[in-house]
């Protein structure tokens, strides 16, 4: 799946990521943070909806369709965060000569791709 223009526009709003050596922390702009929180709130609602469907004995295929949509939405949040991480933290570490960051990125990508 490709990133839509809203996602790409929001990525330009990321200020910095993974600051000091003693504390690993990301710093996203308010616009990006609000976008991610909005997406996560929507996902939270989808999860509650799925729970309700199960409680109402909704047809399994319909529940599975909703689960798939929720997984897709969560994957989108992961892609946004990964792209920001690559464009800030990872790039910065590589420019500093720290190529060990690539091993960390590969583990992260493998986690995102597990299905």
């Amino acid at each position: 799946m490709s990133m839509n223009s809203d996602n790409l526009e929001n990525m330009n709003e990321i200020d910095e990521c993974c600051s000091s050596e003693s504390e690993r922390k990301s710093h996203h702009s308010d616009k990006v943070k609000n976008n991610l929180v909005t997406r996560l709130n929507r996902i939270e609602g989808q999860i509650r909806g799925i729970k309700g469907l199960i409680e109402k004995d909704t047809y399994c295929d319909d529940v599975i369709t909703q689960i798939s949509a929720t997984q897709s939405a969560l994957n989108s949040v992961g892609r946004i965060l990964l792209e920001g991480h690559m464009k800030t933290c990872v790039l910065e570490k590589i420019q500093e000569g720290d190529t060990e960051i690539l091993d960390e990125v590969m583990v992260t990508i493998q986690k995102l791709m597990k299905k």
Side-chain angles (χ1 to χ4, degrees):
M1 256 184 221
S2 64
M3 305 268 298
N4 68 32
S5 60
D6 288 340
N7 293 347
L8 294 174
E9 179 182 312
N10 287 328
M11 294 317 310
N12 295 328
E13 297 290 328
I14 291 180
D15 297 327
E16 61 182 273
C17 188
C18 307
S19 56
S20 71
E21 291 179 25
S22 62
E23 183 181 7
R24 292 167 39 125
K25 196 171 183 179
S26 57
H27 301 280
H28 303 287
S29 71
D30 287 342
K31 184 176 181 179
V32 171
K33 198 179 296 186
N34 289 338
N35 176 35
L36 292 170
V37 169
T38 298
R39 288 170 181 268
L40 290 168
N41 286 337
R42 192 174 306 128
I43 292 165
E44 186 177 18
Q46 288 175 298
I47 296 293
R48 282 192 304 271
I50 292 167
K51 181 180 173 188
L53 292 175
I54 290 171
E55 290 171 343
K56 294 175 188 172
D57 294 322
T58 303
Y59 185 62
C60 296
D61 191 58
D62 295 337
V63 177
I64 291 167
T65 298
Q66 292 306 310
I67 290 171
S68 177
T70 304
Q71 287 173 327
S72 179
L74 197 53
N75 287 340
S76 180
V77 170
R79 282 191 302 272
I80 291 168
L81 287 169
L82 179 61
E83 184 175 354
H85 183 57
M86 297 287 293
K87 288 181 175 181
T88 56
C89 306
V90 175
L91 180 60
E92 186 178 298
K93 293 284 189 184
I94 290 173
Q95 288 172 338
E96 293 171 357
D98 180 4
T99 57
E100 288 181 16
I101 190 73
L102 296 174
D103 292 330
E104 178 184 297
V105 170
M106 291 307 300
V107 169
T108 300
I109 291 171
Q110 287 173 348
K111 288 176 186 176
L112 280 174
M113 294 178 72
K114 266 187 192 173
K115 300 284 177 219

